Amino acid sequence: MKTDSIAMAALGGLHKPGVVCIFGTGDFGRSLGFRLLQAGYEVVYGSRHPGNSALLPEGAKVMTHQEALKTAQVIVVAVHREQYGFLAPLSSALEGKILVDVSNNLRRGQYLESNAEYLSMLVPEATVVKAFNTISAWALQSGGLDANRQVLICGDCAGAKQAVVDLAHGLQLTTLDRGSLRAASELEDIPLQLFPLWRLPLYISAGLLAAFFIYNVIRDVVHARVTDGEDKSFRIMISLANKAFPAVALVMLSLCYLPGAMAAVLQLYNGTKYRRFPDWLDRWMLCRKQLGLSALGFAFLHVLYTLVIPIRYYVTQRRATFYTNLIKENKTYEFNPVMAWRSDSYLSMGMLGFALFILLGITSLPSISNSLNWREFSFIQSKLGHTALLLCTAHTFLYGWDNFLNSNAYKWCMPRSYILALVVPCVVLVLKAVLITPCMDRPVTRIRQGWERNARGRAPADNGSSHRPLIL
Ligand code: NAP
């Protein structure tokens, strides 16, 4: 019978490093054993081939499953689900033991029930805890990177879970209790996910990149071919790419801040923070970090592509022609102080904006953001983030200068792409400017502190994601 007292017995044995049994001497079993031995635990392997210990970490013992299970209360089953069959005959010997299911599947929905629930049905006399499946054998052996330090745990017996929590803490790993064993299938799906939070930002960046690139090809290459019969297709590789990259970077940076402003407007409209945001807004807010990092990637490309401009054949050729013509016509190249101001200001805004952009990227790294308190983090991500957006927008305006109103800058009524790229950032900055005015900021702040416009008679509505602290 699964009782807390049985589990507490195991717990008692694990407060100080004790014996841990591992079934299976494969990659995961070996890495876990290596890490356990380092942490001072005694490791006993249960294997089909107890005589074969060549690859096992030094100091570990290897026995048959039958013998090994007698040595410890906690048994880690480091075997694939398909091979769990050998456990059924051991069922009575496993009574009262804690079985840690670490298994994963090859694809989602491969089996009706989770592997851990299957194990629990196979060995009902033991207490099953799902844990460690989100940690790779490599991370265990190499010491674990930050993102790989958290062990997700679920199970039906609190005492058994505590025993596994203690074990994980003994390995210098952090833990997160995800509830009962019914959550096991969720945990088993985690290693199968492929960049879930990156999907939307990647689709957006690919869509924006394609849109801006095609737009520039039509405007600069197709237009020249149709109207003047001129071939400007060579511009595709660098000139047009370097028009699309900054436009995508600017739009994506502003898309990081637009949902925060929209959330504030929604909260003002609803007069409460206790109402769920629409799902699309929720999903959008969850991937702001990924949006920002993608934007930073495009900004980097813009910087790289800009740095090579002086060595481009097309540029050196044009420069040579320009100076030759000046000499031929005996003209001088007059210094224009307005142009000097314009170019210096535009470059300076760009460099400062990019520097802040990098700072935003660095502080979004878990190792850095974990060392900041909430106020510091929101100061950097919100205040400095909006400043970066402002500087990058100013950089683009100064780049455009008088072209916004110049009718020659429009081809087939198509404005230059940076003019289009300015629309979203301008909307975000105007919204932000309105939201920080005292008459808007005060009610938003009160709402975020729990104040409700129609508080009387209203039960706190469903506590959705609007509880999450917002970075505006
Ligand atoms: P593996 O290298 O293939 O090792 C599996 C072990 O299971 C074998 O070495 C074998 O040990 C034992 N085994 C194989 N067939 C068996 C059978 N018919 N009956 C009894 N035992 C049998 O696999 P692994 O990579 O270590 O993965 C083990 C489990 O950990 C899997 O469920 C996997 O999903 C999970 N996991 C792995 C990782 C990872 O990074 N590798 C990460 C998280 C979770 P003996 O020869 O000693 O009996």
Side-chain angles (χ1 to χ4, degrees):
M1 213 178 93
K2 295 176 204 174
T3 59
D4 271 9
S5 57
I6 293 168
M8 290 313 284
L11 176 65
L14 282 169
H15 271 315
K16 56 182 189 326
V19 187
V20 178
C21 173
I22 302 174
F23 280 177
T25 56
D27 294 340
F28 192 83
R30 283 200 306 274
S31 303
L32 182 65
F34 177 79
R35 187 83 181 244
L36 284 166
L37 285 164
Q38 273 187 338
Y41 288 90
E42 215 178 296
V43 175
V44 178
Y45 284 101
S47 170
R48 293 166 303 164
H49 315 290
N52 191 2
S53 60
L55 290 171
L56 295 179
E58 221 180 297
K61 294 179 189 151
V62 204
M63 306 174 184
T64 61
H65 295 116
Q66 196 87 44
E67 289 167 337
L69 66 86
K70 291 181 193 149
T71 61
Q73 272 295 339
V74 174
I75 300 165
V76 180
V77 185
V79 174
H80 292 280
R81 171 192 171 126
E82 291 73 17
Q83 273 90 46
Y84 280 0
F86 79 99
L87 290 162
L90 301 175
S91 201
S92 55
L94 287 168
E95 184 173 345
K97 304 281 181 185
I98 297 170
L99 291 184
V100 185
D101 183 295
V102 301
S103 65
N104 287 315
N105 293 321
L106 287 178
R107 55 178 191 279
R108 283 170 176 221
Q110 195 174 346
Y111 298 104
L112 275 179
E113 71 294 302
S114 67
N115 298 347
E117 287 168 308
Y118 171 65
L119 181 59
S120 183
M121 285 190 278
L122 207 63
V123 193
E125 292 82 359
T127 307
V128 175
V129 176
K130 182 89 204 177
F132 292 107
N133 70 305
T134 53
I135 309 258
S136 72
W138 176 83
L140 272 175
Q141 191 138 14
S142 65
L145 300 168
D146 261 4
N148 268 319
R149 290 181 85 96
Q150 194 170 58
V151 180
L152 305 179
I153 294 177
C154 72
D156 292 334
C157 171
K161 278 198 283 189
Q162 188 57 50
V164 180
V165 166
D166 289 341
L167 183 64
H169 288 172
L171 300 179
Q172 310 299 321
L173 299 165
T174 59
T175 55
L176 182 66
D177 188 343
R178 294 288 290 262
S180 73
L181 208 59
R182 289 183 66 184
S185 54
E186 238 172 78
L187 263 58
E188 287 165 14
D189 279 349
I190 291 174
L192 298 173
Q193 292 173 346
L194 188 66
F195 304 119
L197 287 175
W198 280 94
R199 210 164 296 152
L200 184 62
L202 288 180
Y203 287 150
I204 294 177
S205 45
L208 282 172
L209 186 62
F212 276 114
F213 194 76
I214 293 169
Y215 182 87
N216 281 315
V217 168
I218 295 172
R219 196 183 167 279
D220 291 10
V221 179
V222 179
H223 179 269
R225 164 69 75 181
V226 172
T227 54
D228 307 327
E230 214 180 324
D231 180 14
K232 287 194 173 176
S233 56
F234 67 89
R235 303 194 70 210
I236 284 176
M237 294 309 285
I238 292 188
S239 300
L240 298 196
N242 201 23
K243 285 184 179 189
F245 293 149
V248 178
L250 187 61
V251 174
M252 290 196 63
L253 180 62
S254 49
L255 289 181
C256 296
Y257 294 101
L258 185 55
M262 288 164 84
V265 172
L266 261 179
Q267 288 179 333
L268 270 174
Y269 177 76
N270 292 331
T272 176
K273 69 168 185 174
Y274 300 111
R275 191 172 297 174
R276 256 193 92 94
F277 294 135
D279 276 353
W280 56 267
L281 185 56
D282 231 6
R283 278 205 299 278
W284 189 354
M285 284 201 290
L286 276 177
C287 66
R288 283 179 293 180
K289 172 178 159 180
Q290 287 73 13
L291 276 172
L293 288 175
S294 312
L296 180 58
F298 284 106
F300 253 118
L301 283 174
H302 172 48
V303 170
L304 284 180
Y305 274 62
T306 305
L307 287 175
V308 299
I309 287 176
I311 57 168
R312 286 181 64 202
Y313 170 76
Y314 167 66
V315 174
T316 48
Q317 181 73 16
R318 271 187 59 160
R319 196 173 289 147
T321 312
F322 175 74
Y323 291 123
T324 314
N325 286 343
L326 278 182
I327 294 164
K328 272 189 196 162
E329 291 164 19
N330 201 18
K331 283 187 182 164
T332 49
Y333 185 28
E334 294 293 338
F335 178 75
N336 181 342
V338 178
M339 284 306 288
W341 263 104
R342 172 196 166 186
S343 81
D344 280 7
S345 316
Y346 128 77
L347 289 172
S348 151
M349 296 288 129
M351 287 186 294
L352 289 172
F354 185 61
L356 282 185
F357 213 156
I358 291 176
L359 185 71
L360 295 176
I362 292 173
T363 48
S364 75
L365 297 173
S367 52
I368 309 282
S369 59
N370 289 346
S371 68
L372 302 171
N373 65 31
W374 173 246
R375 196 160 176 217
E376 292 163 345
F377 183 75
S378 71
F379 170 76
I380 293 175
Q381 293 297 331
S382 177
K383 302 260 182 339
L384 296 189
H386 279 97
T387 310
L389 181 62
L390 184 66
L391 288 169
C392 294
T393 307
H395 167 71
T396 314
F397 267 112
L398 286 164
Y399 175 74
W401 200 245
D402 51 0
N403 279 323
F404 295 93
L405 301 173
N406 182 356
S407 60
N408 291 337
Y410 291 77
K411 294 176 185 169
W412 285 339
C413 299
M414 295 164 86
R416 290 175 199 248
S417 58
Y418 59 79
I419 299 181
L420 298 180
L422 278 167
V423 175
V424 191
C426 287
V427 169
V428 174
L429 289 171
V430 169
L431 261 177
K432 180 69 185 171
V434 173
L435 284 168
I436 56 171
T437 55
C439 61
M440 289 291 186
D441 187 47
R442 225 172 287 138
V444 172
T445 310
R446 285 186 70 197
I447 287 171
R448 298 229 168 114
Q449 284 167 347
W451 176 83
E452 290 187 86
R453 196 189 300 133
N454 303 317
R456 210 179 311 155
R458 177 186 288 180
D462 73 301
N463 316 337
S465 48
S466 46
H467 287 281
R468 191 179 312 121
L470 279 174
I471 299 180
L472 297 177

